[in-house]
């Protein structure tokens, strides 16, 4: 059985290999601290498996969690004090890239399309095959899709050296910087909020403020809350458990008998409106601006706000009209 932890170890190994590349890149003025950041991050993946096994008491490794916490603090210091740098990317000339683009044409999209295709096949056909860890076929299919896409990409381009995609990946990693980790950190923040009972406290405030049986005000509070919490946390999936525990489930579904799939799905849509408006959603709004070298770092957000706000209004109206 292929375990999801193996995929995490592979991701960690990639980070460690790229950290070694950074350490030998003299064009990066902060090569040692950059290598320390990504190398330390890579090592947390296998170490985290040991911590999780010890916590679950399932007979696995018995590794203490404290060093993992120290590693996270070290990552915060390295990123927070701007100790990450970029080297000169190892790449072809503009003329070579233009000639390659002309030669490949639309075939360049084949590797990208391979990833979701493999993930769908694994999730649909192999989930109960016993080949993958139970309930992890989609995630493992995504990882397998990336490996297949790498092979397909090298085949399509005619590249035979594995070092080329590694150097390209490292250059993109340096361009994105620590913003790459923001979605994961925000997802953890959402879990902390849920465990701390933030949703329960928000629910109490809403219950005290909203008039009894005021369906439309409750819908407005839920959708607007999803929007605002997503803006703060940068991730609708992180805001969802908080606002659903506060308003969505106890008020709209249990108390007012709203249709659960409609309430929850449209609530997520309202949260996605907030994703379009916040720099905290770094993978959507900040990283693309960095990779495209836009002059205005917040240009994507400014362009998306005219779409996000009408989308929030429409989501609220849809829930009010069709969820009850």
């Amino acid at each position: 059985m292929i375990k999801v932890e193996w995929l995490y170890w592979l991701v960690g190994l990639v980070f460690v290999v790229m950290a070694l590349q950074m350490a030998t890149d003299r064009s990066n003025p902060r090569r040692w601290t950059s290598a320390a950041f990504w190398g330390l991050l890579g090592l947390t993946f296998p170490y985290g498996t040991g911590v999780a096994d010890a916590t679950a008491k399932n007979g696995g490794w018995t590794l203490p969690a404290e060093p993992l916490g120290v590693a996270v603090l070290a990552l915060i210091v390295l990123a927070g004090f701007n100790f990450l740098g970029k080297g000169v990317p190892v790449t072809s000339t503009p003329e070579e890239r233009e000639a390659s683009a002309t030669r490949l044409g639309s075939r360049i999209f084949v590797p990208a399309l391979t990833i979701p295709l493999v993930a769908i096949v694994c999730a649909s056909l192999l989930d109960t095959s016993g080949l993958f860890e139970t309930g992890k076929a989609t995630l493992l299919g995504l990882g397998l899709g990336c490996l297949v896409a790498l092979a397909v990409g090298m085949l399509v381009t005619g590249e035979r050296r594995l070092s080329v995609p590694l150097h390209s990946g490292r250059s993109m990693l340096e361009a994105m910087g620590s913003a790459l980790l923001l979605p994961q950190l925000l997802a953890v923040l959402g879990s902390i909020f849920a465990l701390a009972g933030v949703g329960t406290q928000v629910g109490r405030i809403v219950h005290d403020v909203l008039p009894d049986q005021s369906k439309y005000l409750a819908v407005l509070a839920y959708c607007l809350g999803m929007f605002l919490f997503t803006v703060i946390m940068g991730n609708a999936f992180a805001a969802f458990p908080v606002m659903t525990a506060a308003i969505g489930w106890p008020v709209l579904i249990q108390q007012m008998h709203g249709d659960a799939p409609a309430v929850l799905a449209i609530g997520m849509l309202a949260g996605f409106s907030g994703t379009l408006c916040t720099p905290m959603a770094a993978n959507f709004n900040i990283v693309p601006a960095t990779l495209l070298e836009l002059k205005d770092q917040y240009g994507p957000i400014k362009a998306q706000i005219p779409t996000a706000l009408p989308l929030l209004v429409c989501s609220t109206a849809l829930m009010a009209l069709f969820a009850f």
Side-chain angles (χ1 to χ4, degrees):
M1 179 184 294
I2 300 176
K3 298 182 179 181
V4 71
E5 291 295 332
W6 299 356
L7 174 60
Y8 297 152
W9 297 349
L10 178 60
V11 173
L13 177 62
V14 171
F15 281 132
V16 171
V17 170
M18 291 184 177
L20 293 175
Q21 289 180 329
M22 294 176 193
T24 58
D25 182 8
R26 296 184 180 276
S27 66
N28 186 347
R30 297 185 175 125
R31 59 187 179 123
W32 293 114
T33 49
S34 296
F37 180 88
W38 296 109
L40 191 59
L41 175 65
L43 293 175
T44 61
F45 282 80
Y47 191 91
T49 299
V51 173
D53 284 347
T55 302
K57 297 181 181 180
N58 59 2
W61 303 336
T62 55
L63 297 179
E66 289 78 8
L68 195 59
V70 173
V72 172
L73 293 176
L75 293 175
I76 293 172
V77 170
L78 289 170
F81 287 93
N82 198 28
F83 285 132
L84 304 186
K86 293 192 296 184
V88 178
V90 180
T91 184
S92 54
T93 65
E95 292 77 14
E96 290 174 334
R97 290 196 294 273
E98 184 176 353
S100 179
T102 302
R103 176 176 59 87
L104 294 173
S106 58
R107 287 183 297 162
I108 195 65
F109 296 105
V110 173
L113 296 175
T114 301
I115 299 175
L117 178 62
V118 173
I120 291 172
V121 169
C122 292
S124 303
L125 303 179
L126 301 179
D127 192 20
T128 58
S129 65
L131 179 64
F132 293 147
E133 182 179 346
T134 304
K136 303 296 184 180
T138 301
L139 183 57
L140 286 169
L142 179 62
L144 180 61
C146 292
L147 294 176
V148 174
L150 173 61
V152 171
M154 296 180 69
L155 182 64
V156 168
T157 59
E159 182 57 60
R160 296 293 180 266
R161 297 166 298 174
L162 185 59
S163 60
V164 172
L166 282 174
H167 278 295
S168 298
R170 190 252 300 183
S171 297
M172 183 171 290
L173 193 67
E174 289 178 335
M176 291 187 289
S178 59
L180 178 71
L181 304 182
L182 191 56
Q184 287 76 22
L185 297 177
L186 293 172
V188 173
L189 180 61
S191 301
I192 293 174
F193 274 23
L195 291 174
V198 174
T200 302
Q201 296 303 320
V202 173
R204 290 176 180 174
I205 294 173
V206 171
H207 182 271
D208 294 338
V209 172
L210 287 179
D212 292 338
Q213 301 301 320
S214 179
K215 177 178 66 177
Y216 296 115
L217 288 178
V219 167
L220 178 62
Y222 182 49
C223 292
L224 190 59
M226 279 295 300
F227 175 83
L228 294 176
F229 264 80
T230 301
V231 168
I232 294 171
M233 304 173 74
N235 193 319
F237 292 99
F240 183 76
V242 176
M243 292 309 303
T244 300
I247 304 174
W249 186 262
V251 178
L252 294 178
I253 296 174
Q254 289 188 322
Q255 181 178 333
M256 300 183 178
H257 308 291
D259 181 65
V263 169
L264 302 181
I266 298 174
M268 281 295 293
L269 183 60
F272 294 150
S273 302
T275 302
L276 299 174
C277 300
T278 175
M280 298 297 286
N283 53 329
F284 291 104
N285 301 328
I286 302 301
V287 169
T290 301
L291 294 178
L292 295 174
E293 298 180 351
L294 300 182
K295 294 181 180 180
D296 186 358
Q297 185 181 22
Y298 302 107
I301 296 175
K302 295 175 182 177
Q304 291 165 176
I305 287 177
T307 300
L309 297 182
L311 180 61
L312 175 61
V313 174
C314 291
S315 301
T316 306
L318 285 173
M319 186 180 297
L321 292 174
F322 298 108
F324 300 92

